[in-house]
Amino acid sequence: MLNGNVSFWYRQTGFPERRPPLVGDLATDVCVVGGGFTGLWTAYYLKQAAPDLDITVVEREFAGFGASGRNAGWLSCKIAGSAGTYARKRGREAVIDLQREMIHTVDEVISVARAEGIEADIVKSGYLTIAHGAAQLPRLRTAYDQLSHWGGQGLEWLSAPRLAERLRLDGALAGYHNPHCARVHPAKLVRGLAAAVEARGVRILESTPVTAIAPGRVSTPFGTIRAGRIVRATEGFTSGIEGERRTWLPMNSSMIVTEPLPDELWKRLGWEGQELLSDATHAYTYGQRTADGRIAIGGRGVPYKFGSRTDRAGQTVRMSVASPTDLTHGQTDVFGLSCAGSVDPLGGATDTRPDGHS
């Protein structure tokens, strides 16, 4: 069992060769701080809209080191945060418009991946949310009704027999299917996006920690970057920048990944559609069937690190992985499996605002 080492996804692809760091002072039109999906997509569309812009992305480690390269592989239409909170400020129609754009974004990412030649194991077959306990059924129904109310499209409620046509889980009572989600291999996608951004003429500086951001100026140990516009795209790692410790709270999540599972087990489970999977527990589960026949599954509930500290290269806390048997049992219970082979844990930080809204 290997704990951390950034993520399982990078153990499959290998770590990218690092791009050169900043050497001395630099002037640029736009400086994007953070080389994850937020920063890279920002650079991609800025360069598309204004090809003459000189754009620089600055990354402490390597592009895709953070949550972008070690997540559950959900290309999702879900709205981040509370639809009800947004509606109180902007109205229901604004939330419905946002949901429509989120649905469009799933197809947009797939389209860009295709156009840029990014092979990221993408399968668009939606996601399943299931209830596998009586207490979860009311929560599941409420979630389904709320999605419908806030502009969800193409949703399908699934009784236990209908659910079993897609995925056979011991104890599953009901579920629903949302078609607007795709499975991806996150490391392949973020590495491909970084290459596409660079090919468009964007400068990517790696191994360059940003220590402070001020109007028109980004400070690093290797020099100062002066820019007309600065985009802070550091997400869960924002707390490491001077004066930003409480801007975003890094919230942690962890996963385990099984060995490739035998064909007879897949025949038992079904899951031919390779839908993403979640459930209606309070500390909810999320997972995927990987392209090479593993189950990658994880969930919330990892403790907040005091002082907004972040993980070290994806390591999960020792107490969580001290017993592989207990770890495996807790996650694979959803599948009715007594054992799913050896597992590798991985974890990392995402972000939320101190008031609890994403």
Side-chain angles (χ1 to χ4, degrees):
M1 180 177 69
L2 183 61
N3 180 9
N5 198 28
V6 184
S7 78
F8 162 80
W9 309 113
Y10 281 115
R11 292 200 292 280
Q12 285 198 317
T13 65
F15 291 113
E17 182 178 348
R18 294 213 181 192
R19 298 170 175 89
L22 176 68
V23 179
D25 294 343
L26 175 71
T28 187
D29 295 326
V30 179
C31 181
V32 179
V33 181
F37 280 130
T38 301
L40 293 173
W41 283 119
T42 299
Y44 183 89
Y45 284 104
L46 273 177
K47 197 66 173 175
Q48 184 180 83
D52 292 336
L53 277 180
D54 186 86
I55 302 172
T56 302
V57 176
V58 188
E59 166 57 41
R60 185 180 75 179
E61 300 289 344
F62 59 82
F65 170 84
S68 299
R70 43 177 135 153
N71 57 71
W74 282 52
L75 175 51
S76 172
C77 71
K78 287 187 173 185
I79 294 174
S82 166
T85 299
Y86 298 151
R88 284 192 291 275
K89 294 181 179 180
R90 301 291 185 181
R92 179 169 178 262
E93 287 305 313
V95 177
I96 291 174
D97 289 344
L98 174 60
Q99 180 63 88
R100 186 182 304 113
E101 288 304 310
M102 292 298 296
I103 290 171
H104 168 72
T105 297
V106 173
D107 292 328
E108 172 70 6
V109 172
I110 295 171
S111 176
V112 170
R114 185 182 302 114
E116 298 289 352
I118 301 171
E119 175 48 59
D121 301 339
I122 299 174
V123 175
K124 186 188 176 189
S125 52
Y127 70 86
L128 297 168
T129 301
I130 65 166
H132 48 90
Q136 297 176 29
L137 274 173
R139 294 198 294 271
L140 184 76
R141 189 76 220 191
T142 297
Y144 176 82
D145 291 341
Q146 287 291 306
L147 276 174
S148 300
H149 177 73
W150 297 117
Q153 299 176 14
L155 306 176
E156 181 182 4
W157 180 263
L158 301 170
S159 63
R162 292 293 304 280
L163 177 61
E165 294 174 7
R166 293 177 177 267
L167 177 59
R168 293 181 285 279
L169 301 175
D170 289 356
L173 303 176
Y176 68 82
H177 178 247
N178 186 327
H180 303 291
C181 189
R183 183 204 67 194
V184 302
H185 187 297
K188 291 180 180 180
L189 181 58
V190 74
R191 288 185 63 173
L193 179 59
V197 165
E198 198 169 40
R200 286 175 174 252
V202 173
R203 182 186 301 107
I204 301 178
L205 302 174
E206 298 182 332
S207 303
T208 304
V210 169
T211 55
I213 300 174
R217 187 177 73 253
V218 173
S219 300
T220 84
F222 313 131
T224 299
I225 301 174
R226 298 196 175 275
R229 295 288 186 270
I230 298 170
V231 179
R232 191 189 69 223
T234 44
E235 304 288 2
F237 293 89
T238 301
S239 61
I241 298 174
E242 181 181 309
E244 304 290 353
R245 181 181 169 194
R246 302 291 290 177
T247 302
W248 290 101
L249 297 183
M251 304 302 291
N252 300 285
S253 186
S254 290
M255 298 179 65
I256 56 175
V257 184
T258 71
E259 295 176 341
L261 302 181
D263 290 342
E264 57 267 26
L265 185 51
W266 287 120
K267 290 177 183 177
R268 172 184 165 188
L269 290 174
W271 214 351
E272 289 89 356
Q274 303 181 62
E275 301 92 343
L276 282 304
L277 179 66
S278 63
D279 68 5
T281 54
H282 286 301
Y284 62 87
T285 295
Y286 50 79
Q288 66 153 275
R289 175 179 176 172
T290 68
D292 63 344
R294 306 169 190 263
I295 295 175
I297 191 166
R300 293 288 191 257
V302 179
Y304 165 74
K305 295 179 184 293
F306 181 76
S308 294
R309 291 178 293 117
T310 54
D311 63 275
R312 297 180 61 185
Q315 286 186 341
T316 300
V317 292
R318 185 182 300 273
M319 63 181 292
S320 295
V321 297
S323 172
T325 301
D326 291 344
L327 179 68
T328 305
H329 175 75
Q331 296 285 6
T332 58
D333 227 22
V334 176
F335 299 94
L337 308 177
S338 58
C339 179
S342 66
V343 297
D344 284 341
L346 60 138
T350 181
D351 58 331
T352 189
R353 278 170 37 191
D355 61 7
H357 299 302
S358 297

